[in-house]
Amino acid sequence: MPLLVGDKMQKLVLFARNYGIAVITLLLFVLLAATTDGFATERNFRNILDQQSTVLIAASFMTIAIIAGNFDVSVSAVFVTAPLFALTVENATGSVTLAVLVGIIVGLAMGAFNGLVVTRFKVNSFIGTLATSFMFFGAGYLISDRSLMRPAGDIYQQIARTRYFGITSATWIAIIVVIIAALLLSRTRFGRNVFATGGNQEAARLAGVNVSRVQATTFILLGGAAALAGILNSSRSISAQPSDDFSFVFTVLTAVIVGGTSIAGGQGAIWRTITAAFFLAFLSNGFNLHQIDPIWQRLIQGMVILLAVGVDAWTQRRAG
Amino acid sequence: MADLTSQNKTLLTLSGVSKHFGGTQALVGVDISFERGKVHSLIGENGAGKSTLGKVLLGVHQPDAGEMMLDGEAIHLRNPAQGNDRGLVGISQELSLLQNRSVADNISLGREITRGPFVDAKKTRENVLATMERFNMHLDPDVHVGALPVAEQQKVEILRALSRDARLIVFDEPTARLASHQAEQLLELVRSLANSGAAIVYVSHFLDEVLKVSDTISILRNGKLIRTSDRKTETRDSLIVGVTGQEVQNQFPPLSPPDLQAPPVLSVRGISRAGEFEDISLDIRPGEILGLAGLVGSGRSEVAHAIYGASPLDKGQISFAGADLSKASVSDCLKNGMALVPESRRDQGLMLSRSLLENVSLPHLRQFSGVLGLNKKREYEEVDLRCKETRVKHEGLRHPVDMLSGGNQQKILFARAAVGQPKLLIADEPTRGVDVGAKRSIYDLIVNLANQGEAILLISSEIEEIMGLCHRVIVMSRGRISKELVQDNLTEQAVMNAAFSGG
C-alpha cells in the first residue's frame, strides 16, 4: 500500500526532526557507558557538566536569536572581552559584585549595539556581528592593555568554583539560565513573537509584532548571556586574556545547529540545543577517554555537523 | 481519412496516468490528449490535480503509472530539461526569472550561442530580438527584469519559452497576478500562440477566462478527469457544476442594509503617501461593506495598509471609533479594534511552519498573558472556538498550517481576526487562489460579520465579488479615488469605467 508508506514516511520525518537528536544522544550515552571505562562515573559527569556550563548559557540564547532569524558571531568577542572589564573593576574596587555587574552590563551593551546594527541599519546579521566582533575584541585589548589579567582578591574565583551538593556553581548558574531561556521561549508573548518574527517577518509585522524590538532584544539577551559565560570562564581559570579567538562561538553554534534549530529561523527549541551540546560533549569525552588523536576528533566532529545540517535540509524538504 | 487528420493534429496523449504524493492521490487514471493549434483548459478546485497534470506534461513530476505518447512515440520524462528538449515548456504561477539580469539574458538563459568557450553576446542578442520580432512582443532587452512590472516579467518568461521552439506550452494560472486589462492582453497572446500551431494547456481558476480562451475544456475533480468537452457546449454554470459536483446555488449570501443613521466607525480624511496614493477620504459605518475596487497597482492595498498603521502617512487624518489613529502603529490599530486579512496569505499572513494555534493567537497574545506568562489553556480554548466559528477544517490546532488547503489557510486569517472581535475588518483579496466551495463560505463569513455590526473594507480584483458583496464601492485609479458608486449607479460597467479612467 503506497498510501501507508507515504503516511508513515511523513510521520517518521516529523519524529526524526523533533526527537532525532534525543535518540542519537541516548544511543551514544549507552554505547559509551557500556564500552568505555571511566565514562559512567559521577566524577566524569560532574566534569562534563562543569565544562559545558559556559556553552549551555550562550547556546540557549543563541538558539533564541537564530529562531528570530539572526546569527550572532560576536558571542566570542563578548565572551573574551566582558571578563576583562569585570576584572578591571575588580582590580580597581575589590568588589566582585560590582565587577560581575559591570561585566554583564558591558555584554548587554554590546548586544544592544549588535541589535542596532542589524535592525536599524539593516546590515546582514552575520556580516554585521563579524564587524562588531573586531570592535569588541579591540575594546578588550584596550581595557586590558594587552596583557593577561588576574583577580586581585580570591573571591572572584569562587563565582564558578563553589560547590553545592557536589556540583559547581557554574553548573548551577547554567541550569538556572537554561530554564529561564526555555521558559522565555515557550511560555511568554516574547517567545511567540520570536518564532513569528523568524517564521515570517512581514506577517509578524502585520500581526502587530514590533519585529525590530524583538530582534534587538534577542541580541541584548545573548550579549548578556555571553558575558556571563565569559565571567564564569575567567573565574574558573582565575585569569582573562585579550585575544581574537573565535572558537567559542563555533562551539555554541554547533550545539544549536546539531540540535536542529533551523538556520532559516522560525523553528527550534532550547532543549534540543542542550541535548546536542551534551551529544557533542559525550563525543569528545569518549574520544578523550579512548585517547583518540585530536586531529581525528576534528575530522569526525566536522562530519557530524555536516550530517546534522544535511538531515535538517532533508527533513525540511520532506515535511515542506 | 478523418481519423488520419485527427491523429496528425494530436501532439501529446496521456493514458491511465496516476500520481500520488504521500497519502494524497493527485491523479487517478487520467486519459487525455492535446492537439496542435488548440487551447485546452484544465479546470477544477484547489487540489483537483490540474497543476499536477500540467507538471507531469512538463516532466516536473513523474507519473506512478500510465503512458505518455508524444507524436505517437512513447516518452518518459525524468526532469523538466528533458521536457524542454522536446518542446514542452511551462509558464508558471511563480515566475522563475533572474531578477538581477537583463531581459535578453533571461530569455536566452541556457540557450546562449557560444563560440568556443565564450558566449557570443551579439549573436545571442540578435536571436532574442528575432524572437521578439517573430511574435510581435517587444521589450527593452537591456532592462533588468527586476525593474519590470509583473505583466512584463511574464512576457519575458513567455518569450523564453518561445525561443525554445515550444510545441506545447503549459500556462499555470498565468493571470492570477495580473490586472484585468493585462489579463485581456495575455488571453489574446495565448490565442495567437495557438493559431501559430502550438498546443496550449491552460490551467486556471477563472471560469470566464477559460470560456473566452479555450477550444477544449477538461474538468478535474479529486484527481479524476470528469469530462473533456468542446467549449461551445459549456456555460459558466455547467462548469461550476462540473468542478464542484454540486448544483449551482446563489453564489452570494443575502445582505442586510446597514444603519445609515449610525455615525461612521472609520473616517479617513485626505490621506496621502508619496508614490502610493493621494488625497483619499472615506467613511465606513458599522455593518457596512465598503468595496475598494480598481486595478492592481492602483493603490488599494497601500491605502489599506496605511489605515491599518502598517505604513506612515505623509498627510491626512484617520479617526477610528473615537480615537485619532493618524500616527498609529499596527499594534495601536489592533488594540483599537481593527483587523487585516492581508493580500498574500503566504507572504504577509501566515507563519507556515508554525501551528494553527500560534498563527491564530499571535496578534492577541496580550489577551492571554499574565504575570506568569501565557495562559495556554485559555488561549487554546479561544482559538478552538474561533476556528470552529470560521469552519476551519484541520487535524489539530498544533499542526503546522502549511499542510492545509488554501481555503482553510484563508479561514485561519479570519479566525485570527475574530479573536480580537474587531469593529473594522479589512479584507484584501480574501478569496484569491481559493476554490469555488471555500469562496462561498468566505462570503458567508464576511456577510455574517457585517450583519453583526462589523464594518468591512473589502478589496477585490474580482468584479463579481465587489458587485455581490458590497453596499457601496469606491473605485481607485492611479492612487486616487476616481468614483464612489452606490445602489443604482453600482454596475459592473461603471466600476470598470472608473477603474480605467486614469484619474
Side-chain angles (χ1 to χ4, degrees), chain B residues 39 171 185-194 200 202 213:
Chain B
V39 178
F171 286 87
Q185 285 174 9
L186 183 84
L187 295 188
E188 276 169 35
L189 180 67
V190 167
R191 283 285 0 149
S192 73
L193 291 175
I200 308 286
Y202 194 84
V213 78

Side-chain angles (χ1 to χ4, degrees), chain B residues 39-46 48-51 54 91 93 170-177 183 186-187 190 200-214 216-220 239 243 433-436 439 462:
Chain B
V39 178
H40 190 151
S41 290
L42 304 177
I43 62 170
E45 299 194 336
N46 280 347
K50 51 192 193 308
S51 290
I91 310 294
Q93 210 167 342
V170 179
F171 286 87
D172 192 352
E173 299 280 2
T175 57
R177 296 171 60 191
L186 183 84
L187 295 188
V190 167
I200 308 286
V201 180
Y202 194 84
V203 179
S204 180
H205 264 106
F206 299 104
L207 301 180
D208 292 330
E209 239 174 65
V210 165
L211 285 166
K212 213 177 288 174
V213 78
S214 317
T216 315
I217 300 176
S218 287
I219 300 175
L220 288 143
L239 291 182
V243 164
V434 156
D435 62 53
V436 180
K439 256 187 188 176
E462 283 187 48

